Each structure stands twice: as C-alpha cells, then as structure tokens.
Amino acid sequence: MQNNKMSVTDTIGLGFMTFAFFLGAGNIIFPPFAGMLAGENMMSAMLGFLITAVGLPLLGLIAIAKSNGKVTALLPAFAATALAITIYVIIGPAFAAPRTSLVAFEIGARPFIDNPDLTILLAGSEFNLPQLIYTTVFFIITMLLALFPGNLLDSVGKVLTPILLVLLMGLALAVILLPGADVGAAVGAYQTSPLTKGILEGYNTMDTLASLMFGILIIDLLRKKGVEDTKAQTKYLIRAAFIAAGGLAFVYVSLFYLGATAGTLAEGATNGGQILTNFVNHEFGVTGTFMLSLVVTLACLTTAVGLVTACSEYFNELIPALSYRLLAVLFSVTCAVVANVGLSELIRISIPVLMTIYPVAIALVIVTLLTNRFNHPVFAHRTVLSVALFFGVFDGLQAAGIDMSMLDFMPLHAEGMAWLPPTFIAILACLFMPKSAQVAQS
C-alpha cells in the first residue's frame, strides 16, 4: 500500500537497522586499540576517527538520498558499472562479508570451544573444523534472513538491533562507571599527529564504501513499505542516517575511552578485540564473556545480512535473468567458502585494491553533494573521480609493497593519502569554472 508515510516506530526501526548494518565486529575492535595508543591525546585521535568512521558514512547516505540512489548517473555507463561492481564485490563476497563470520568465530565462539584448532582434511586441504561448522551455520542464518528482504526492517531493525543496543549500552556504562587505570602516554604517530592518525584509522571500517550500498538497499526497503515518493524517501533515509551516526558515535567514544583507560588489561594486546575481551573477562567473568560473544555475533550477523542483501539486489538489477533469491543463496555460499579457503591471501590482495578504490568512493560522495553547485556537473564528476583514481593507484601500489619512494615529494604520500590534495584542487577548480567554459561532456 502506497502512503509515503512511516510511523515513528518504523522510522526508528529503520535507523536501528541502518546502524546495525554498519556495526560489524571490525567497528567494535578498532576503537579500543586506537584509544590505547592515543593515550593522553585520545580526544584529538577520537575526533579524527569520528570524522572518517561516522562523518563520511553519514555523508555517503545523504548523498544516496539526495541523488535517489543514482550517485553514478553522471559517469559514463561503463565506468559507473565497473565502479559499482568493484565496490559490491569487495564489500560483499570477496572480503568484508566473509570476514564477519571469521571475527564472530574468533570472539563469539572460540572462547567456548575445547579444541578450537581441530583440523580436518577435505579435498586434499586442511580446514579448521569448528570454524568450518560455525561459518557454515552463520551464513545459513544470513541466507535465510536475506531471502526475505521485505522483512528486514522487522527482523533486524525491530528485533536484533535493540538487543545489540542494550548490550552495547551495558558495556559503555561499565566502561564509564567501573574504575579504570590512568590514561597513559601516546605512542607512535599519536604523539605528534593524533588527529591525522585518527582520520587514517577510521578508514579501516570501510563504511564509506558500505554507505553507497546500504543507502540503495534502504531506498528499496522504503519502496516495499509503500514509500514511493522520492522526497519522502530522502527524508526517511536522512533520518535513518542520523540515527545510525548517533549510534556509531556512541559506541566509538565509549570504546576509545575503554582502550585509553585499560591499563594493564591492554598489556601485550595486538588488537582491540583482545583489549575488549580482557576488560570483559576482568570485570564480568564468564557471564561477561558470553555477553560479549553475543554482542559480536549479532553485530557480525546483521552486517553480513545487509551485505548479502545489497549485493543480491544490485546484481539482480544488473542481470535480471539471475533472480534475487538465487543470488542471495549464491553469495551466502560463496561467503562461507571464502571464509575457509585462503582468506589471508585474499586480504593481502584486497588491501591495495581498497586503497585504490576508497579515494574514488570519497570523491564520489563529495561531488554528489556538490552537484548543484557545479556549472558543469558532468565534467566535474568525471574529472574529480578520474583524478582520485589516478592518484589512488599510487597509494594502492605502495600498499602492495611496491617501492614508490620516488613520489615522496607528493604531500601525504607517506601516509597513503597522495590522492587527497590533487582531488580537492580538482573539486575547487570545477566549482569555480565559469558557465561560459566549453567542456567535453561525452
């Protein structure tokens, strides 16, 4: 039924669902480690992290809303399709989705398994049996939830996410109320440039890429709820975006503080997951460990559902001969396989690709928000994204281990952000280009 209106409960549920899609386990384990390293410079580092881990995804959703899901409309058809496929494959079955099940296993299941490293020989290769069973069940559940996208708002937004929020609020209150150690000294780059380091650390969440997927998914869900008017869709998606951003900021701030005040609980830790687990074990024992496993499992599950659903929706539109349900099953099976075969090698290959594509995604969000201010929007979109891709390739090659020291003269090259200055120069040039200028639009 088309009424173009949603109840307050449905709107809040939509916001909760959006929050849950973004909050994967990676989002939970990055902030504590950054907080520990930032120490006395925690506030500056936290601000930087919030800019890229909350601000950019929020802008991504707003860009999707403003363009009604057509952020690549001004690009050549082949370029728009290639960019979309790349983002969906990286964030979906090739990397991010399989990782959700592995992190859920490591934090949510491994502590309760007597022999978590038991291996089995299949087809001439060794597999971790508990991990194989866990990831298989994990993606069966993901597949069942993804097969019924019309019920996502109810199953995720109104059931799973409130449980997740209650558990996270309990953890946040424990961090604030229970006595922690004094904040320590900053370490490494956090000593001299905590804001910049925090900004770079926020890229690890990859949520700007995800926002381009989830925004389109949410618009589709709104249509299924009877909201067909584009202005109404924009309104509700922006409201959901701010609810999600508020939830993410709440989680990140509390976890940053946890890491900064962990004291001896953080000794020897190599990632935020260990700090979080040590804190929960110290304060709450076995019960706390169980609650933490539930939080991480729910966070990973809701993210996996969102990723599989978004990928299935996109490729169904791209290739109508492949039904949504067939694709949901195919992607779920692929994720389960990738999670157990060569994931370390996959991560090694994927990181340089991400370093190349991420600047393009950020540039796409910015030019989409500025579209109405360009005198030549088609030229601006194509020029800015071309510049971001060109210089992003250098960052990707450096991440792949190729010696790019000959480019050290470029600003921010050492930090892996050589793309940033030239891209913003291109944006400014396009903003001030006069209407009378003759540009190629083909």
Side-chain angles (χ1 to χ4, degrees):
M1 179 179 177
Q2 180 177 338
N3 54 24
N4 291 317
K5 291 184 178 180
M6 292 178 65
S7 66
V8 174
T9 302
D10 276 346
T11 303
I12 294 174
L14 183 69
F16 282 176
M17 181 196 69
T18 306
F19 164 75
F21 281 170
F22 279 111
L23 191 71
N27 306 73
I28 294 176
I29 65 175
F30 289 136
F33 195 65
M36 178 196 74
L37 296 177
E40 60 191 358
N41 292 331
M42 173 186 64
M43 295 303 294
S44 296
M46 186 192 302
L47 176 60
F49 190 89
L50 292 176
I51 288 172
T52 47
V54 177
L56 283 177
L58 173 61
L59 291 177
L61 288 176
I62 293 175
I64 289 288
K66 293 291 187 182
S67 64
N68 196 33
K70 299 176 181 178
V71 289
T72 59
L74 299 182
L75 299 178
F78 77 91
T81 302
L83 176 60
I85 290 175
T86 301
I87 291 175
Y88 276 93
V89 169
I90 291 173
I91 297 295
F95 181 49
R99 188 182 67 175
T100 61
S101 66
L102 288 176
V103 178
F105 172 75
E106 290 295 328
I107 299 178
R110 179 179 282 273
F112 305 100
I113 300 174
D114 291 333
N115 188 3
D117 296 312
L118 179 65
T119 59
I120 184 174
L121 191 65
L122 289 176
S125 300
E126 274 195 355
F127 292 89
N128 181 309
L129 182 59
Q131 177 181 290
L132 178 63
I133 295 172
Y134 183 91
T135 52
T136 300
V137 173
F138 182 94
F139 280 109
I140 287 175
I141 297 172
T142 298
M143 179 183 67
L144 292 174
L145 288 171
L147 281 173
F148 303 98
N151 297 325
L152 271 179
L153 181 57
D154 298 320
S155 61
V156 176
K158 294 182 179 179
V159 180
L160 292 179
T161 311
I163 296 173
L164 176 61
L165 277 173
V166 169
L167 294 174
L168 287 172
M169 288 178 67
L171 177 62
L173 288 173
V175 170
I176 295 170
L177 297 177
L178 295 175
D182 293 333
V183 175
V187 176
Y190 286 104
Q191 294 176 306
T192 55
S193 52
L195 179 64
T196 302
K197 182 62 176 174
I199 288 173
L200 295 173
E201 198 67 27
Y203 284 129
N204 288 329
T205 64
M206 293 188 293
D207 280 343
T208 301
L209 294 177
S211 69
L212 301 176
M213 295 172 52
F214 292 153
I216 296 172
L217 172 62
I218 293 166
I219 288 176
D220 187 62
L221 291 172
L222 286 170
R223 292 194 187 106
K224 289 182 170 65
K225 284 288 182 179
V227 182
E228 296 286 350
D229 180 68
T230 55
K231 290 184 179 179
Q233 291 173 357
T234 298
K235 176 179 69 176
Y236 289 120
L237 178 49
I238 290 177
R239 289 179 181 178
F242 276 98
I243 292 172
L248 289 171
F250 168 78
V251 172
Y252 292 152
V253 169
S254 60
L255 292 180
F256 245 90
Y257 185 74
L258 183 155
T261 59
T264 57
L265 296 177
E267 287 183 358
T270 57
N271 61 68
Q274 294 171 352
I275 298 173
L276 187 56
T277 301
N278 291 344
F279 173 81
V280 171
N281 282 336
H282 180 265
E283 300 293 350
F284 303 106
V286 176
T287 302
T289 303
F290 173 77
M291 296 300 286
L292 176 63
S293 77
L294 186 58
V295 168
V296 172
T297 302
L298 284 175
C300 289
L301 181 62
T302 52
T303 300
V305 170
L307 293 172
V308 169
T309 301
C311 286
S312 302
E313 292 273 7
Y314 174 74
F315 284 100
N316 173 238
E317 291 182 7
L318 185 66
I319 312 173
L322 299 176
S323 70
Y324 169 83
R325 292 196 170 188
L326 173 63
L327 287 166
V329 173
L330 179 62
F331 284 132
S332 296
V333 171
T334 302
C335 289
V337 172
V338 171
N340 288 279
V341 181
L343 186 60
S344 296
E345 181 67 12
L346 184 66
I347 291 175
R348 187 187 68 80
I349 296 172
S350 296
I351 288 177
V353 177
L354 289 171
M355 291 292 289
T356 303
I357 295 300
Y358 212 85
V360 180
I362 296 173
L364 179 60
V365 169
I366 295 171
V367 295
T368 300
L369 293 173
L370 295 174
T371 296
N372 294 334
R373 296 185 179 274
F374 292 122
N375 288 323
H376 303 280
V378 174
F379 177 80
H381 276 240
R382 298 179 182 189
T383 299
V384 171
L385 266 64
S386 297
V387 171
L389 176 60
F390 178 78
F391 287 96
V393 168
F394 296 143
D395 294 328
L397 291 174
Q398 180 172 264
I402 297 175
D403 183 12
M404 302 296 292
S405 57
M406 76 289 291
L407 299 177
D408 282 348
F409 67 91
M410 295 174 58
L412 299 180
H413 177 260
E415 291 84 354
M417 295 180 66
W419 65 274
L420 190 58
T423 301
F424 272 88
I425 290 172
I427 291 173
L428 289 174
C430 291
L431 282 172
F432 289 101
M433 183 175 293
K435 290 184 179 181
S436 59
Q438 296 295 317
V439 297
Q441 301 288 343
S442 60

